[in-house]
Amino acid sequence: MNSPRDGWLSGLLALLSGALMVPSFAPFHLYPLAVLSLLGFYRALRGRTGADAFRLGWLFGVALFGVGVSWVRISLNEFGNMPALIANLLMLLFVAAMALYYGLCAWLIRLLEQWLANRAAPVWAGPLLVFPALWVLVEWLRGWLFTGFPWLLAGNGQLDGPLAGLAPVLGVHGLSLAVAVSAGLLWGLLHWSGQPRRRAAAGLALLWLFAAMLGLLQWTRPAPAAEQRSLQVSLIQGNVDQAVKWDADGLMPTLDIYLTLTRAHLDSDLIVWPETAIPEFFHRVEEPLLTSLGETARAAGAEVVIGLPVMIPDGRYYNALVSLGSAEDQYFKRHLVPFGEFLPFKRQLRPLIDWFEVPMSDFSRGRAERPLLRVGDWPAGASICYEAVFPEEVREALPEAAFLINVSNDAWFGDSLAPHQHLQFARLRALETGRWLVRATNTGISAIIDPHGRVQARLPLFERAALTGTLEARAGATPFVRFGSRPILAGAGLMLLAALLLGARGRSEHAGGEPGQAG
């Protein structure tokens, strides 16, 4: 029987482990902490069952999201004009709700491990099969249920470590599985003895070495020589204050900022403005501004991509990217932010959301089958803000896309962790797809990212400037582009099946103890 003191210590360990995950992400990049975080999570669950296990998992999630996404309050309070008390309460409610995923994960882990223990399954079945598989499957569930929130997945923080070599093959969920398996192997290294301990050490070393070697491979290639492969690109970071961005009096000064910076860089092949850089509908600025800008770009041999809202004749409007120059095209954002860009359960929640004064918060969802935007002679993979967090949606532009364009307005998050985290997730999309990615944001961090996920040039937060560099049009497809997350999800399912078969056959490699503890 567990004592109250043991329960208190397990709860504290769960909280500390959840908070420990956050420094593995940007801007800290302490990627080994993700493994230690999951090791602590797994240790906190030892000997716990049922509601107790669920509580510990929920506490882990509360710490992870409470530290990692506390910037939600900034959007609600400072820019949504919501009273501070209400904004903080809603942020806490969001954190508590997201933490339920980890409560579910913990409950399932202990349920299956107890079943395995009753059947004297091998000591390694829990930490090396059940735990990693369920961790990945619950993260995957979090990435799509209720429109999804795949922020702070365990694999996101591995971009600058040896495990990153797995990203072009298995995607972010493959990185998460590698982190969870590493935690399980580290558990065995610390708690087993003799040959099992040596095997755990060898497995951990081989996993990280294999991933690092994969990182040396080139999965894509330069586009055919008949196409222009090297492009000069300029990203315009207007640094327009979110508090005045949508004021009627702010339109002309905003346009002046972007036009002045653009005219100074018409020698570039591609010029990209951020999300909703023009805070006005397309049809209201088309004739006085966009038509002449397109003509100027064509005369200079440049292509210009601009973020702005587009309204269609039936009154629906979209968060859009518009390309001007030798070719004209539009992309409408397909994955909208709940409560920020559209209102779920509109009739029931309207009185509450009236407090949250978000301009143009009733966007319609784009219906394009694939997120492609024609930019001159090149098809580009397009994503707007939040869409860059969804790997399966970004990969839908491949292999046709020669490069990726992501635009965002991270001014909503102020000077917080969010802009750094968002850039990191965009970098991971470049690595998964083997494409250059250019990212233009209103207040930063704008960046030019190579196919290995490395930032080649960047602008810091809250600086008004243009970032100029080069990118290379590329062709080909990584294994992740070809198969997506299906292999890793199937692998997680097979790991669970293997654990169930081990339990059903009643095999045991170690006498005594419960799964994951020293035999």
Side-chain angles (χ1 to χ4, degrees), residues 126-178:
L128 297 184
L129 294 178
V130 172
F131 168 51
L134 286 175
W135 179 272
V136 167
L137 291 173
V138 170
E139 280 198 338
W140 169 75
L141 180 69
R142 176 160 73 85
W144 62 265
L145 189 63
F146 305 122
T147 79
F149 187 68
W151 204 278
L152 304 186
L153 303 179
N156 285 139
Q158 301 306 304
L159 186 58
D160 297 301
L163 294 181
L166 296 170
V169 182
L170 299 173
V172 66
H173 293 303
L175 295 181
S176 288
L177 183 66

Side-chain angles (χ1 to χ4, degrees), residues 180-204:
V181 168
S182 296
L185 290 168
L186 186 56
W187 172 267
L189 183 61
L190 295 174
H191 291 84
W192 301 336
S193 59
Q195 190 175 34
R197 171 179 286 179
R198 291 190 292 273
R199 288 177 176 174
L204 187 60

Side-chain angles (χ1 to χ4, degrees), residues 171-363:
V172 66
H173 293 303
L175 295 181
S176 288
L177 183 66
V179 171
V181 168
S182 296
L185 290 168
L186 186 56
W187 172 267
L189 183 61
L190 295 174
H191 291 84
W192 301 336
S193 59
Q195 190 175 34
R197 171 179 286 179
R198 291 190 292 273
R199 288 177 176 174
L204 187 60
L206 287 173
L207 171 60
W208 284 61
L209 179 61
F210 175 71
M213 292 177 65
L214 281 179
L216 301 176
L217 299 179
Q218 294 283 344
W219 297 103
T220 59
R221 61 189 183 279
E227 302 178 19
Q228 182 179 0
R229 295 186 304 187
S230 182
L231 310 175
Q232 180 169 299
V233 58
S234 291
L235 310 179
I236 311 299
Q237 184 170 294
N239 194 33
V240 178
D241 190 339
Q242 185 66 21
V244 301
K245 178 180 175 69
W246 293 96
D247 289 350
D249 294 338
L251 176 60
M252 295 309 297
T254 296
L255 292 178
D256 183 62
I257 290 169
Y258 282 100
L259 288 172
T260 299
L261 289 170
T262 297
R263 292 188 187 108
H265 294 84
L266 285 172
D267 58 336
S268 291
D269 300 300
L270 173 62
I271 301 169
V272 184
W273 296 15
E275 176 189 17
T276 59
I278 301 179
E280 184 56 274
F281 287 117
F282 175 87
H283 67 275
R284 293 179 181 169
V285 295
E286 180 179 14
E287 194 56 40
L289 171 67
L290 299 181
T291 299
S292 61
L293 179 58
E295 292 173 352
T296 301
R298 281 192 295 275
E303 311 294 336
V304 181
V305 174
I306 297 174
L308 80 168
V310 173
M311 180 180 286
I312 62 176
D314 65 6
R316 289 179 293 168
Y317 57 90
Y318 300 86
N319 192 347
L321 274 177
V322 174
S323 62
L324 307 171
S326 63
E328 295 185 359
D329 197 9
Q330 296 181 349
Y331 166 73
F332 295 164
K333 187 176 183 182
R334 306 185 306 163
H335 200 127
L336 303 177
V337 180
F339 302 101
E341 293 178 308
F342 80 101
L343 179 60
F345 312 111
K346 185 182 301 185
R347 181 178 301 176
Q348 295 83 357
L349 297 180
R350 184 81 266 172
L352 173 64
I353 301 304
D354 283 342
W355 280 339
F356 192 19
E357 301 175 16
V358 178
M360 295 193 179
S361 56
D362 196 19
F363 283 105

